[in-house]
Amino acid sequence: QLQLVESGGGLVQPGGSLRLSCAASGFTLDNYATGWFRQAPGKEREGVSCIDSSGTDTNYADSVKGRFTISRDDAKNTVYLQMNSLKPEDTAVYYCAAGAVASILPGDFAYWGQGTQVTVSS
């Protein structure tokens, strides 16, 4: 089966950092566009960042630009989201996804992980 498994979430204080990992199995991420999405209670799932299949083109939501960095380690078949200067409004369940197109639209991604909780609070 094609699977994505997120890890690295947790509780962090405002201004802190966290690195999320998304390990893929059953397929290789370098053949897919990958993205990170998040969903807070009562809100729609939103795109956070994406990277194309080549691993060279990245995009970020305005709310995280300059604070978050997406990257991919092909040897480990894992995509990462480095989150710095975290804010309470970053609190959400974070999901990684893979699809044919690098997009901020959830519907463009066919494969999804189960999510990992990120809570930013003092």
Side-chain angles (χ1 to χ4, degrees), residues 49-116:
S49 182
C50 62
I51 186 168
D52 70 356
S53 59
S54 71
T56 60
D57 190 21
T58 60
N59 196 20
Y60 299 90
D62 288 341
S63 60
V64 307
K65 202 168 297 182
R67 299 188 298 121
F68 291 10
T69 303
I70 190 171
S71 63
R72 196 179 72 217
D73 186 336
D74 291 340
K76 297 181 179 179
N77 205 27
T78 300
V79 64
Y80 302 95
L81 185 68
Q82 178 66 46
M83 305 184 295
N84 298 326
S85 301
L86 284 162
K87 305 175 181 179
E89 52 263 44
D90 295 320
T91 296
V93 177
Y94 283 71
Y95 301 88
C96 67
V101 179
S103 171
I104 62 170
L105 301 177
D108 288 336
F109 291 82
Y111 308 109
W112 291 83
Q114 294 299 306
T116 185

